[in-house]
Amino acid sequence: MNRIAESDLVRLGFEIVHMDDSSEDYYYFRCFGQPYGLRLTSCTFNEWQREHAWFVEFTDMGSMEFIEDLELLEEFIHIMERIQNIDRVTYRNRYDDLINFEFIDDSIIMTLPAEATDFVRVGYYDNQSLQDSPNTFSMVDPSGGPFIATKEFNGGSSGTDMGEFHKSWSGLIVAGIEWIGMGKYKLIVDRNED
Amino acid sequence: MIITEIDLTRLGFECQYTWDNFGDDDYYFTMEFGGINGLCLITNCKNDSPDATDGWIVEFFNNSDTKSIKDLELLEEFIYIMNKIQMQ
């Protein structure tokens, strides 16, 4: 087994956090897709032990798993990064409703649960008319975020860059918003060539 | 490559038939790695048919979020690495 050293953890992108607890343990954290990702924690139980090896634990709702082998840790991080790059992500608004975003057919579909649809704010820009296009908006805000707006709504500056929500969507700028029914909004995106 | 019901069976998922809050006949498959102390994967299709042609989604949970896998090769790799972690 190829044991995990402190230098390996730094190379793999773990950020050190020194927990000043009673036993002077050291902890490292690395978050995937923070704050909505899976948390890996590495630690030793005392200072002398870190000269020998570390282990990495990750948690789900009911358990902890441990990785003590460096190659296995590298494999695990690689697959988690690939899963992280799927074209779907979930956020919460201030009422703890889950707001889903999914990339489908060159657009991003934002889906709200039924309990969240009563509190959605939508907006228009000056030349846009509710009468002319009742299902077309320039801003949508599902109760305390995530806030989405077009360039026009933002007064000429850029529309929302969807990379704020999903790493692989970086540079996809919101150019239009359409309500397509059943709590779904279609975010029409353009590739920012800058 | 989408995930089909045949793939899930081959990979060891066990079928459980459940009712959700809306009374629809949703199908769920569950697979646990390492029994009660393991990571739980849940697959579901978004309509009533277990023969969903648009594939199945595998979800797993941690403290704050759900992660989803829709690609068969990625699912197989994930199961492989989870099995290796369990067998350390």
Side-chain angles (χ1 to χ4, degrees):
Chain A
M1 184 172 71
N2 190 358
R3 304 183 80 175
I4 300 167
E6 186 170 342
S7 57
D8 296 318
L9 294 171
V10 173
R11 175 175 59 81
L12 289 168
F14 282 73
E15 293 179 11
I16 188 166
V17 178
H18 182 199
M19 305 293 286
D20 191 17
D21 67 8
S22 57
S23 59
E24 296 184 349
D25 287 349
Y26 283 77
Y27 291 85
Y28 283 76
F29 296 99
R30 184 183 190 190
C31 297
F32 290 86
Q34 189 180 12
Y36 296 102
L38 188 70
R39 191 177 78 175
L40 296 183
T41 306
S42 74
C43 59
T44 63
F45 287 117
N46 55 44
E47 281 202 57
W48 69 265
Q49 198 175 5
R50 75 190 164 118
E51 296 172 5
H52 298 273
W54 294 67
F55 62 87
V56 175
E57 62 185 23
F58 63 97
T59 57
D60 64 278
M61 291 196 68
S63 71
M64 280 187 189
E65 303 292 339
F66 296 90
I67 304 174
E68 299 170 86
D69 178 72
L70 177 60
E71 289 178 14
L72 192 52
L73 174 63
E74 288 179 315
E75 278 186 75
F76 180 74
I77 287 174
H78 179 65
I79 193 106
M80 289 308 299
E81 286 175 338
R82 288 179 59 198
I83 290 171
Q84 195 70 32
N85 285 331
I86 60 170
D87 281 344
R88 181 179 167 200
V89 68
T90 302
Y91 281 84
R92 291 178 191 274
N93 65 6
R94 74 158 69 97
Y95 300 107
D96 226 19
D97 301 315
L98 290 174
I99 316 293
N100 280 298
F101 295 87
E102 186 164 18
F103 194 94
I104 301 172
D105 297 335
D106 296 329
S107 299
I108 295 171
I109 305 298
M110 182 174 79
T111 305
L112 284 59
E115 58 270 26
T117 53
D118 289 345
F119 305 104
V120 178
R121 288 193 311 141
V122 292
Y124 305 88
Y125 63 90
D126 288 347
N127 297 325
Q128 198 176 17
S129 162
L130 173 63
Q131 271 188 319
D132 292 343
S133 51
N135 295 330
T136 303
F137 310 105
S138 56
M139 181 277 282
V140 60
D141 175 18
S143 312
F147 181 87
I148 309 286
T150 64
K151 176 181 177 179
E152 289 81 5
F153 189 85
N154 285 337
S157 59
S158 179
T160 301
D161 185 336
M162 293 307 292
E164 295 174 23
F165 303 101
H166 193 305
K167 190 170 60 178
S168 69
W169 297 344
S170 182
L172 293 179
I173 307 299
V174 174
I177 302 166
E178 292 176 13
W179 182 73
I180 56 175
M182 301 293 286
K184 292 181 186 294
Y185 292 81
K186 183 178 185 178
L187 310 180
I188 299 158
V189 289
D190 286 337
R191 171 67 62 182
N192 183 5
E193 303 298 344
D194 295 342
Chain B
M1 190 187 305
I2 65 168
I3 300 167
T4 68
E5 188 172 356
I6 294 170
D7 297 321
L8 294 172
T9 304
R10 175 174 59 80
L11 290 168
F13 284 74
E14 293 180 8
C15 181
Q16 289 184 340
Y17 180 68
T18 64
W19 296 87
D20 67 12
N21 291 334
F22 303 103
D24 296 331
D25 295 343
D26 285 351
Y27 282 77
Y28 289 86
F29 285 73
T30 64
M31 181 177 187
E32 272 198 7
F33 292 87
I36 59 170
N37 291 320
L39 189 68
C40 183
L41 297 184
I42 296 176
T43 71
N44 62 78
C45 69
K46 298 300 184 189
N47 58 42
D48 289 347
S49 169
D51 302 316
T53 54
D54 54 349
W56 294 64
I57 298 169
V58 174
E59 299 180 333
F60 62 96
F61 303 93
N62 64 72
N63 286 323
S64 60
D65 193 21
T66 299
K67 297 289 171 202
S68 302
I69 305 175
K70 292 185 283 187
D71 179 77
L72 178 61
E73 289 180 17
L74 192 55
L75 174 63
E76 288 182 312
E77 285 187 55
F78 181 75
I79 289 173
Y80 175 73
I81 193 82
M82 290 306 300
N83 282 333
K84 282 175 73 173
I85 290 170
Q86 292 284 333
M87 288 188 297
Q88 279 181 112

